[in-house]
Amino acid sequence: MIIVMKAGAGQQDRDEVLERIKELGYQPHVIHGTTRDVIGAIGDERGKLVLHSLESMHGVENVVPILKPYKLASREVKRETTLIRLSDTVAIGGDEIIVMAGPCSVESEAQILECAVAVKAAGAQVLRGGAFKPRTSPYSFQGMEEEGLKLLAKARELTGLPIVTEVINPETAELVAEYSDILQIGARNSQNFALLKKVGQLKRPVLLKRGMAMTIQEFLMSAEYILSEGNQQVILCERGIRTFETATRNTLDLSAIPVLRGMTHLPVIADPSHGTGNYHYVAPMAYAAVAAGADGLMIEVHPDPERATSDGPQSLKPSKFTAMMTTLRKFAEAADRKL
Ligand code: PEP
Ligand code: MN
C-alpha cells in the first residue's frame, strides 16, 4: 500500500504515520517527492483493509494499493524519476546524460590512470573498471581484487571521477563499498538474492545490470530486493539479453528503455559494449540508447584493446571514444538532454 501524505504535512505527521505502520506489522519506506512524501507500507497484502484506516490520520491524503508486484520500484509509488547524486557535480536521473567509461578490468596502475585521464578528457563523468571479475571460465583472469580497488581510488584522486566497480559476493561487498562510489551488480549476479540484500543494506548507489535471460519484470523484482532493504539508490542497466542471434554477443534490448521508463521511477542506462560485444557497434547503439531515453551509458574503453585481459573486442580506444562523445552530444541535444 502507498500512504500519500498531504503536500503540507510536517515531520510529526510523518513520524506518527511511520509509527502506526510499524504497529500494524508493516515495514515503512519513505519516498521523498518534490511536492509531497509518500510512504510505502510493505508486508502481507492481506492486511490492506487495516492500512486503509490510516486515511483518518492527520497529514494523510489517501491510502492506495500498489497493484504491481514490484512496489517500491514502481512509478505508482513515485511519479518523478529518482535523481541519484554521484558526487557534488554529477547526478543521474536528471537532464544530464551520464557516461561511465573505462576498461573492463583494472590491469595495472599505468593502464587505469591512462584510461581515467582519457575518458575524463572526452567528457565521461564516471570511471568504470572491474577489480573482482565474475568470469564465465574459472581459468580466465579473475581481476586484481583489492589491489585493483586501490588503483581505482588512485585514479579517482587523480581525475576526480567517481568510480563504479563490480561486487561479486556478500563477503567482499563492504570492502568494495569502502573504495567505490557505485556498486555494480553484474548480469550473472542479478538474481543472487543474498548479494542484492547485502548491497541494499549499504549506503552506496547500486548499478544493477539486467540478467541475460531476465524479463523486465524480473529485473524490477531484483531492484525491489535492494530497495526493500532500505537502499533507494538503484540505477538499472540494460546490457543485452540472450537470443538466437549470434552476429552480436547479446541482443541489446533498446525497447526495455522506454518500457522501464513507464514502469519505474529508477534511472535507466544502457551498456552497448556488453550489449553488442563488438567495438564497431558500440557508438551507433550508444546514440540509439540516448534517442530511446536512456539516462546514461556504460562504455568499455581500453588504451590497448588487443592486449586487454578481458573484453578487448568490444573496447573502444580512447580516440574512438572521444569521437563517439562528440557525436553523442548532438543526439543528447536532440533528445533535450545535456552532456
Ligand atoms: C562488466 O561490466 O564488465 C560485466 C561483466 O558486465 P555484465 O555483468 O553485464 O556481463
Ligand atoms: Mn566487460
Side-chain angles (χ1 to χ4, degrees), residues 1 30 56 144 164 175 219 235 336:
M1 301 291 271
V30 181
S56 60
M144 290 182 77
V164 55
L175 175 75
F219 192 14
I235 304 157
D336 220 6

Side-chain angles (χ1 to χ4, degrees), residues 104 274 300 311 314:
C104 180
H274 294 87
E300 285 188 339
D311 289 350
Q314 67 195 37

Side-chain angles (χ1 to χ4, degrees), residues 104 128 133 166 184 186-188 209 239 274 298 300:
C104 180
R128 69 146 283 146
K133 296 302 299 177
E166 184 160 352
Q184 178 173 325
R188 290 158 193 78
K209 288 194 155 195
R239 49 76 73 203
H274 294 87
M298 172 168 268
E300 285 188 339

Side-chain angles (χ1 to χ4, degrees), residues 193-232:
F193 302 119
L195 181 58
L196 296 172
K197 283 188 189 173
K198 180 70 195 181
V199 297
Q201 290 152 12
L202 299 176
K203 297 204 171 5
R204 283 271 179 278
V206 176
L207 176 78
L208 175 65
K209 288 194 155 195
R210 182 178 181 183
M212 28 192 125
M214 213 182 216
T215 65
I216 291 175
Q217 179 159 312
E218 286 164 343
F219 192 14
L220 290 174
M221 294 313 292
S222 286
E224 193 74 16
Y225 265 93
I226 303 169
L227 298 169
S228 66
E229 290 294 322
N231 188 345
Q232 306 299 315

